[in-house]
Amino acid sequence: MKNIDNYVPKTLEDYNRLYSESVINPETFWEKIAETFLWKKKWNNVLSFDFNKPEFKWFEGASLNITENCLDRHLAYIPEQTAILFEPNDPNQKSEKISYRELHRRVCVFANVLKSKNIRKGDRVCIYMPMVPELTVAVLACARIGAVHSVVFAGFSSTALAARINDSECKVLLTADGSFRGSKVIDLKSIVDEALLKCDSIKSTIVLKRIASDVKMNNNETWWHNEIEDVSDYCEAEEMDSEDMLFILYTSGSTGKPKGMVHSCGGYMIYSSYTFLNVFQYKTNDIYWCTADIGWITGHSYIVYGPLLAGATSVMFEGVPSYPDYSRFWNIVEKHKITHFYTAPTAIRALAKHPISLVKSNDLSSLKVLGTVGEPINEEAWNWYNKNIGKSKCPIVDTWWQTETGGIMLTSLAGVTNDKPTYATKPMIGIQPVLLDKGGKEIKEKEKEGILAIKYPWPSIARTIYGNHDRYKNVYFTAYPGYYFPGDGALTDSEGNYRITGRVDDVVIVSGHNLGTAPIEDAINLHENVVESAVVGYPHDIKGNALRAFVILLDENSNIDMKKEIKEQISKTIGPIAKPEIIQIVPGLPKTRSGKIMRRILRKIASGEKENFGDISTLLNPEIVKQILIKS
Ligand code: WT7
């Protein structure tokens, strides 16, 4: 087998050479990368695609199992190396080092448990768990036997969990009795109980004891620790077609229900691994820490799959940056001699608000590379991160990508290509971005702003939305035919560096969480005293964006606390992360004559604009703008 290191650039010249190879002859390029992995059967064809159908097939005819590449492949030469380094919520509890050999054993055992629950290739398994090693075991155990994992972030409500389980008809649910989050203990099991009242497809539930609470177990619910007793640790890896489904992961859309993005085995394996090595320039013995949750794509690709495929040591942190105090991240960096630290701008901004002594009391000299992901990073936060955490000697990779892209798309490569504050900079090798004008024409000049699009497939592009291929086509391939349309705007500098300017649709990124405004409005409108509502985003110091809801009530004089009830309603339907910062009760909403809410105006009001609203004479009710302003 060839060594992937030969294709990982070490200098700017390497990057330029590999980049041009990858766009001049993508198939030859990706074939060489693919040859560095373990396959059960070779492909007949590297790529076939059609942007209009849309359809993307990578490595047709080939078969593999991703867990053999994450685990078995490493057993011959690094069996005792730590694969997962677990740091619990409570700093006084011991951290845990799980070697590749041990992880392989636990995955095989749990894969056999899943089989005993009648789970077979193609069946969907929902995973709703805290950030503990068993979560990684659960994910890989599914992949081992060809079951499709659908991880749901454990901060989601019972309604949101039920909707996701039902959308993909999961047969088994893996969960825990509860979770620790800072000083709070979260009762996951009762959220699960409530969700399961509405989920007929779930035939069995396996519950990990994490908080040792006294929970009631219902029919077909068993304890994790009982299930793994006396189970064989031998489990043959299922042979998967390259295009077979590996996982489903839900992301919010600007309208309607969440989209179950489908990723497939072969392409995702290659791209998550290759990007990990390129972007972070991971070397043997480095200790890599991504602070995301495995409930999001960042955790899938850059806590589990990317690092494990590369034989890296990946840290899993159960807690939050504020517990026991705001020095926790830096304590962990010192304690485990972290070399790579990858987090979100919202966390950086929150940490920067606290006394710098909390940083300075820790030895951060082990750090070599810093990363950011999830939303645009403002210059002030970038500079703070660079100076105080990186001591002005660590490259910062600002990685732009999405649930849909499976892996990092625009980024610098640590120490290889240049970083630039607020710029995601250059395309990853193999990625062909363009800027489009409103008419869909490519903007060839530099120093321009436009709509970001990708004009050639890459191995880990999502293949469909589970159960709704039409929606997949409509959202990503219809507005600009012949391109993948991610929904972001961008601009370029004179050197062709990309800077993401933000969403061009009704998705708002709050604290790095991707939230559609329509589902939040739907949740508000469920309240019987609500006539109509509109939710918009506005710039916020720490969260990047925050939400403001404008709500028309049926009875403004009722004595119930509507703001409180609306917040509760949203927490229940979606989850606490979707609660608006501000709820304003309004007599009406600005509308066009065709009845469409003019969100542009509401966005301006929410951002603090008082008079400059452009032409509002075409509104059905121009007087409403003043009335909303008076009360805001
Ligand atoms: C949206 C995707 C990718 C994992 C986390 C989010 C925004 C993401 C950046 C960045 C500016 C960014 C985009 C994108 N975004 N990374 N480095 N700079 N914006 O995944 O939940 O699918 O959200 O997050 O708007 O479209 P996601």
Side-chain angles (χ1 to χ4, degrees):
M1 207 159 38
K2 291 184 190 142
N3 190 339
I4 196 165
D5 282 342
N6 298 334
Y7 306 109
V8 177
K10 280 139 203 107
T11 62
L12 186 58
E13 293 70 49
D14 290 348
Y15 166 80
N16 288 333
R17 178 178 44 84
L18 287 159
Y19 184 79
S20 32
E21 271 181 38
S22 76
V23 301
I24 293 169
N25 211 333
E27 298 189 27
T28 319
F29 175 79
W30 287 114
E31 179 157 46
K32 282 199 290 193
I33 304 300
E35 278 165 357
T36 69
F37 291 82
L38 199 64
W39 297 83
K40 288 181 189 278
K41 205 160 73 205
K42 274 287 163 70
W43 45 90
N44 311 317
N45 190 24
V46 175
L47 168 67
S48 65
F49 71 99
D50 178 345
F51 269 109
N52 294 317
K53 266 185 173 172
E55 185 181 81
F56 307 96
K57 288 190 173 164
W58 284 91
F59 310 108
E60 257 180 293
S63 67
L64 73 151
N65 187 290
I66 196 168
T67 71
E68 288 188 330
N69 285 274
C70 287
L71 302 170
D72 306 55
R73 193 166 53 129
H74 304 316
L75 294 187
Y77 64 105
I78 47 164
E80 301 315 327
Q81 192 200 294
T82 303
I84 298 289
L85 200 173
F86 173 61
E87 173 67 24
N89 178 65
D90 178 353
N92 299 316
Q93 224 193 328
K94 266 178 85 174
S95 44
E96 188 186 355
K97 289 184 178 165
I98 301 166
S99 66
Y100 273 92
R101 188 202 301 283
E102 174 62 10
L103 186 61
H104 177 267
R105 192 190 67 79
R106 291 194 201 179
V107 167
C108 288
V109 166
F110 203 72
N112 284 329
V113 170
L114 289 174
K115 279 193 192 161
S116 76
K117 300 291 169 191
N118 249 328
I119 292 295
R120 298 287 175 266
K121 179 173 173 172
D123 288 342
R124 275 80 58 212
V125 172
C126 179
I127 305 178
Y128 184 71
M129 291 179 71
M131 277 288 287
V132 292
E134 286 82 357
L135 168 52
T136 300
V137 170
V139 164
L140 296 174
C142 288
R144 186 80 178 174
I145 61 169
V148 176
H149 56 77
S150 167
V151 182
V152 176
F153 172 58
F156 275 122
S157 70
S158 62
T159 317
L161 171 61
R164 285 158 177 75
I165 290 174
N166 291 336
D167 184 71
S168 46
E169 295 169 300
C170 296
K171 271 171 74 172
V172 162
L173 173 62
L174 309 176
T175 188
D177 57 343
S179 70
F180 297 115
R181 258 185 91 72
S183 55
K184 286 191 234 157
V185 180
I186 293 157
D187 181 3
L188 283 188
K189 184 62 170 52
S190 36
I191 299 174
V192 164
D193 288 348
E194 203 176 319
L196 289 187
L197 296 174
K198 294 168 260 174
C199 300
D200 293 337
S201 62
I202 296 287
K203 301 290 175 257
S204 25
T205 299
I206 303 176
V207 186
L208 177 79
K209 208 175 212 114
R210 176 65 188 141
I211 62 169
S213 64
D214 193 13
V215 298
K216 183 172 159 286
M217 299 288 270
N218 301 313
N219 275 348
N220 304 318
E221 294 182 350
T222 49
W223 288 108
W224 189 293
H225 57 268
N226 292 338
E227 290 288 355
I228 59 174
E229 254 173 52
D230 303 322
V231 173
S232 158
D233 62 5
Y234 178 78
C235 178
E236 190 80 41
E238 185 76 32
E239 180 163 349
M240 304 297 287
D241 189 276
S242 176
E243 279 300 322
D244 276 340
M245 231 186 280
L246 173 63
F247 66 85
I248 302 170
L249 184 61
Y250 287 87
T251 184
S252 340
S254 52
T255 56
K257 56 179 193 171
K259 300 172 287 193
M261 303 314 306
V262 171
H263 283 286
S264 58
C265 296
Y268 178 82
M269 169 173 80
I270 284 161
Y271 198 73
S272 60
S273 172
Y274 188 57
T275 49
F276 172 76
L277 288 166
N278 270 267
V279 176
F280 297 103
Q281 297 282 313
Y282 182 92
K283 302 284 175 311
T284 310
N285 297 327
D286 284 348
I287 312 282
Y288 162 91
W289 179 20
C290 165
T291 70
D293 191 289
I294 293 174
W296 311 116
I297 190 70
T298 309
H300 279 61
S301 303
Y302 300 111
I303 296 179
V304 181
Y305 287 113
L308 297 181
L309 285 162
T313 297
S314 178
V315 174
M316 269 183 85
F317 175 45
E318 184 185 27
V320 292
S322 54
Y323 177 81
D325 64 37
Y326 276 94
S327 65
R328 185 68 192 277
F329 272 6
W330 321 128
N331 297 163
I332 297 174
V333 170
E334 175 175 326
K335 177 173 173 191
H336 296 302
K337 301 201 167 45
I338 304 290
T339 54
H340 293 68
F341 180 72
Y342 187 31
T343 196
T346 185
I348 298 166
R349 289 190 295 265
L351 292 161
K353 293 267 176 234
H354 293 272
I356 196 69
S357 55
L358 292 172
V359 177
K360 293 220 163 118
S361 51
N362 299 279
D363 176 5
L364 306 184
S365 60
S366 56
L367 286 172
K368 297 199 288 190
V369 176
L370 302 178
T372 127
V373 60
E375 59 188 308
I377 181 164
N378 51 308
E379 190 144 8
E380 202 187 338
W382 198 100
N383 288 332
W384 184 89
Y385 197 31
N386 181 42
K387 177 167 162 248
N388 297 297
I389 307 306
K391 315 292 179 198
S392 304
K393 63 174 181 53
C394 300
I396 298 182
V397 292
D398 177 352
T399 61
W400 174 84
W401 59 297
Q402 311 178 294
T403 307
E404 294 85 337
T405 68
I408 294 167
M409 302 288 283
L410 296 177
T411 183
S412 52
L413 309 184
V416 172
T417 67
N418 293 328
D419 55 23
K420 174 172 178 176
T422 78
Y423 283 75
T425 73
K426 296 285 176 168
M428 168 63 202
I429 295 169
I431 301 304
Q432 303 188 34
V434 290
L435 287 186
L436 302 177
D437 65 19
K438 288 241 161 68
K441 260 192 43 224
E442 283 184 28
I443 303 172
K444 301 279 186 201
E445 309 86 52
K446 293 185 171 141
E447 299 193 272
K448 292 280 185 219
E449 183 164 356
I451 289 149
L452 183 62
I454 315 290
K455 73 166 174 192
Y456 199 82
W458 62 99
S460 66
I461 183 173
R463 301 301 195 259
T464 190
I465 292 176
Y466 190 82
N468 199 344
H469 199 68
D470 283 347
R471 188 174 180 201
Y472 174 65
K473 179 177 166 118
N474 289 335
V475 176
Y476 305 105
F477 301 95
T478 304
Y480 303 97
Y483 300 91
Y484 167 77
F485 165 60
D488 284 297
L491 54 78
T492 49
D493 69 4
S494 58
E495 290 166 349
N497 287 305
Y498 285 87
R499 175 187 191 167
I500 305 297
T501 50
R503 299 290 309 185
V504 295
D505 57 9
D506 287 326
V507 168
V508 184
I509 313 276
V510 180
S511 298
H513 298 309
N514 185 332
L515 298 170
T517 51
I520 303 175
E521 291 164 6
D522 293 345
I524 298 175
N525 298 348
L526 284 175
H527 196 288
E528 53 183 19
N529 193 25
V530 170
V531 179
E532 199 180 10
S533 63
V535 173
V536 298
Y538 66 94
H540 183 278
D541 270 2
I542 292 182
K543 300 180 173 183
N545 293 289
L547 298 170
R548 173 149 162 187
F550 299 88
V551 185
I552 310 175
L553 297 182
L554 198 61
D555 175 7
E556 276 204 36
N557 302 319
S558 88
N559 45 20
I560 44 177
D561 183 347
M562 279 305 295
K563 293 189 181 175
K564 185 163 159 256
E565 296 219 346
I566 287 172
K567 285 193 178 167
E568 278 168 9
Q569 182 79 42
I570 295 171
S571 290
K572 230 174 76 197
T573 330
I574 302 168
I577 48 174
K579 280 192 290 192
E581 192 81 6
I582 301 173
I583 296 173
Q584 183 182 352
I585 308 298
V586 293
L589 294 166
K591 291 205 174 162
T592 62
R593 281 166 209 276
S594 60
K596 208 168 169 278
I597 300 173
M598 285 286 269
R599 286 161 203 284
R600 177 178 64 78
I601 293 174
L602 295 174
R603 265 184 232 122
K604 284 197 161 174
I605 296 177
S607 318
E609 182 61 59
K610 296 273 182 264
E611 45 209 62
N612 202 353
F613 296 103
D615 182 12
I616 58 170
S617 63
T618 56
L619 287 183
L620 188 67
N621 51 349
E623 74 290 343
I624 199 72
V625 177
K626 256 204 198 114
Q627 293 173 24
I628 295 177
L629 278 170
I630 289 169
K631 291 181 108 195
S632 69

